[in-house]
Amino acid sequence: MENRVREFREGAGWSQGELARRLGVSRQTINAVETDKYDPSLPLALRMAGLFGLEVRELFIDHWVAETWT
């Protein structure tokens, strides 16, 4: 899964620590999400997207394609 957290965080002019403070998580959590070492829980993903005024699928991009049944 690809994420755009760093892009939007930097666009807002926030450090990892500032984003973490706003979300009520640790800076290490933000770093792990940004470096694809941790996929956030659904509640955290929803809070992150809401903070940036985005839909979750705009912030977290899943390139998985469902197999079609014929």
Side-chain angles (χ1 to χ4, degrees):
M1 182 176 324
E2 174 185 352
N3 79 71
R4 301 172 65 197
V5 174
R6 177 176 286 151
E7 173 186 342
F8 284 101
R9 174 182 61 76
E10 289 177 348
W14 298 334
S15 66
Q16 287 181 342
E18 176 62 18
L19 178 57
R21 186 192 66 75
R22 289 171 182 259
L23 293 168
V25 299
S26 70
R27 186 202 57 78
Q28 290 83 356
T29 297
I30 299 303
N31 181 268
V33 170
E34 288 186 355
T35 57
D36 295 322
K37 293 180 179 149
Y38 173 72
D39 289 330
S41 65
L42 181 56
L44 180 54
L46 287 167
R47 286 191 310 231
M48 289 176 138
L51 186 61
F52 293 119
L54 302 168
E55 297 288 330
V56 171
R57 66 181 175 208
E58 294 174 290
L59 191 57
F60 297 94
I61 301 143
D62 187 359
H63 297 286
W64 177 78
V65 178
E67 183 178 319
T68 57
W69 295 87
T70 55

